Amino acid sequence: MDSQQPPIKINTICCIGAGYVGGPTMAVIADRCPSIQVHVVDLNQSRINAWNSKDLNQLPIYEPGLDEVIKRARGRNLHFSNEIKKGIQNADLVFISVNTPTKKKGLGSGQASDLRWVEACSRQVAEFAQGHTIVVEKSTLPVRTAAAIQTILKASNQTQSKGKSARSFSILSNPEFLAEGTAINDLENPDRVLIGGEDSEAIEALALIYMKWVAPEKILRTNLWSSELSKLSANAFLAQRISSINAVASLCEVTGADVREVSKAIGTDSRIGTRFLNSGPGFGGSCFQKDILNLVYLCHHFGLPEVADYWESVVNLNTWQQHRIAKLVVKNLFGTVTGKRLAVLGFAFKADTNDTRESPAIRISKDLIEEGAQISIFDPKVKQKQIEIDLGIAASPPPNKKGDLSQAALNGEGTWWQTSNIRDAIDGADALLILTEWDEFFHIQWDEIAVLMRHPAWVFDARAVVDPVAVRSAGLKLWRIGDGSE
Ligand code: UDX
Ligand code: ADP
């Protein structure tokens, strides 16, 4: 950048997409930069209404600390609306933060990202932007998506420049590394902020925003493609660690080793490190599987089938792990769960979030329902409507006080219902499965629970949250992930 040139000053930001990434990220930017007006826009009116709700318990997503940030900034310099055109027109900088799920049909189906929302968004920016606009990819995108956005913006420039006042665009990639459940802390204290682009003035304008609260040495600048690929690679590396430790866990179970001891032993090697070595029911969330499949697609596209297979094996092991847990529940319950009551504790893909995208609980519950089980589901944050969407099966009424089976159950069909507390979920159950590491599951009083269950009763702890001694001395049988001890 020309050192004489004053940096571009950003007065107004528009973020398109008020989801799990856009909402919290813009809330923290607005909180830390009171002089910038931040407008978050979304097509989904009910989501916008939820972001504007007076009762902060009704925000569309649950994140610890989010309510405090919203309370400080909303109405001051943070605004949620569906005024997409106005938002873009007035913005010096537009974040694209829309959903990019895996394609369900057509070319690249099951692997490539579906970019139709990004494309629609780019066209909206192309149509409404005025003057110079910095366009920032925030959604995780396949490498070289920036080129597609650039092409759309350029094309609109050429067709409109005759009639309208001059417009210009700079494209940046600024992937978000926040993890759900710790989003506010991750945004306020990031390990790094990555900004990729070719236009150094635009890069510095965005860097100045982050520098309001992030140390300058944590702001990394790269070219566009490195930035896009770094995000996919970071997620692939993290997911690969989880599949590795889950693979080790299965070996521990048959050899008498304990995966927690192994994790500790290998994690103390400073080259390996301690984090992301918790074995569990497999990774979920909106990113890991989608991003790896994206990487797999890219590798095939660029003629690297061996590399594609390597990354695909990380997802395959994860899928296997989820089916494995459902299978071992059936095996331990005398080979059948038809008509049996099973309690699923935890449906979110991890604790401290209401997000269920790709949650291991979905596949495990579906497998057990398929086997004819009667499942009661308790999760402190996930709503019944969401579980119905995820399982693709409507909830059944809970059994009556006597625990009589419904007609569907008598016919051998699997059913499920939701409960509002742990006790109701467990009442009359043959087994309970812990699938999310919610804090309250660490404090279950096993003596009180054991008397509610039908014996011999099992605890399947896929998150290793229970105290094995307390469970066993309450007269319950225990399977714990990665635990080969009897
Ligand atoms: C992830 C990345 O961490 C984040 O940087 C990126 O921006 C988005 O994707 P997220 O999916 O929100 O974040 O949560 P994360 O904490 O990474 O957990 C993902 C899944 O892995 C969860 O299902 C979690 O339970 C599981 N997990 C995580 C394990 O099974 N073991 C571990 O040791 C860590
Ligand atoms: P993420 O986890 O990446 O934040 P979400 O699905 O939670 O993804 O949120 C993406 C949001 O983007 C949704 O609320 C969706 O309605 C919104 N969205 C998608 N396309 C557009 C668009 N063209 N204009 C405005 N909002 C959009």
Side-chain angles (χ1 to χ4, degrees), residues 44-220:
N44 183 334
Q45 184 63 52
S46 65
R47 206 165 215 188
I48 289 297
N49 293 345
W51 278 111
N52 283 326
S53 55
K54 283 210 175 70
D55 177 359
L56 293 173
N57 289 319
Q58 298 301 321
L59 294 177
I61 66 175
Y62 171 71
E63 276 295 336
L66 175 64
D67 50 353
E68 288 299 314
V69 179
I70 294 285
K71 206 158 102 188
R72 284 195 293 271
R74 198 176 59 187
R76 179 188 71 185
N77 65 326
L78 176 65
H79 315 277
F80 294 93
S81 79
N82 62 355
E83 295 189 82
I84 298 175
K85 178 177 174 183
K86 199 166 142 204
I88 296 172
Q89 276 175 339
N90 294 334
D92 304 310
L93 185 148
V94 174
F95 282 105
I96 297 185
S97 194
V98 299
N99 35 327
T100 52
T102 306
K103 270 184 95 170
K104 291 209 173 85
K105 57 183 179 188
L107 197 66
S109 171
Q111 288 185 338
S113 277
D114 191 337
L115 296 181
R116 78 179 104 147
W117 292 274
V118 172
E119 187 183 329
C121 218
S122 310
R123 291 186 191 280
Q124 286 166 323
V125 176
E127 191 176 347
F128 303 131
Q130 294 180 348
H132 183 70
T133 310
I134 301 174
V135 179
V136 185
E137 299 177 336
K138 201 54 158 156
S139 319
T140 308
L141 293 165
V143 185
R144 297 210 163 255
T145 305
I149 300 177
Q150 222 151 15
T151 310
I152 292 172
L153 296 178
K154 231 182 197 166
S156 84
N157 242 2
Q158 281 157 0
T159 50
Q160 296 204 0
S161 56
K162 290 169 205 147
K164 289 201 175 179
S165 57
R167 293 137 31 92
S168 54
F169 299 99
S170 297
I171 319 290
L172 301 179
S173 158
N174 171 221
E176 187 44 66
F177 294 98
L178 68 81
E180 288 178 30
T182 52
I184 300 302
N185 184 51
D186 295 344
L187 287 161
E188 290 180 339
N189 307 292
D191 287 343
R192 76 313 208 177
V193 167
L194 185 56
I195 305 178
E198 314 304 328
D199 174 354
S200 56
E201 280 187 72
I203 293 176
E204 293 318 311
L206 182 55
L208 264 184
I209 295 176
Y210 286 108
M211 271 193 258
K212 286 270 189 291
W213 76 96
V214 180
E217 64 275 15
K218 286 191 172 178
I219 301 180
L220 311 180

Side-chain angles (χ1 to χ4, degrees), residues 169-304:
F169 299 99
S170 297
I171 319 290
L172 301 179
S173 158
N174 171 221
E176 187 44 66
F177 294 98
L178 68 81
E180 288 178 30
T182 52
I184 300 302
N185 184 51
D186 295 344
L187 287 161
E188 290 180 339
N189 307 292
D191 287 343
R192 76 313 208 177
V193 167
L194 185 56
I195 305 178
E198 314 304 328
D199 174 354
S200 56
E201 280 187 72
I203 293 176
E204 293 318 311
L206 182 55
L208 264 184
I209 295 176
Y210 286 108
M211 271 193 258
K212 286 270 189 291
W213 76 96
V214 180
E217 64 275 15
K218 286 191 172 178
I219 301 180
L220 311 180
R221 294 146 174 94
T222 66
N223 74 31
L224 268 174
W225 326 124
S226 301
S227 171
E228 289 180 336
L229 189 57
S230 299
K231 169 70 188 194
L232 291 183
S233 306
N235 277 345
F237 267 63
L238 291 169
Q240 179 260 356
R241 278 173 77 93
I242 300 170
S243 278
S244 296
I245 202 66
N246 284 339
V248 171
S250 65
L251 200 54
C252 288
E253 288 164 26
V254 289
T255 54
D258 182 332
V259 75
R260 281 147 296 277
E261 292 177 353
V262 177
S263 289
K264 194 168 175 196
I266 62 176
T268 45
D269 184 327
S270 58
R271 293 167 302 175
I272 296 175
T274 53
R275 302 186 61 192
F276 272 70
L277 285 182
N278 289 327
S279 64
F283 56 76
S286 69
C287 286
F288 284 171
Q289 176 167 312
K290 179 189 82 178
D291 289 355
I292 295 178
L293 293 176
N294 214 325
L295 210 50
V296 169
Y297 182 72
L298 278 176
C299 294
H300 280 302
H301 178 78
F302 289 107
L304 298 165

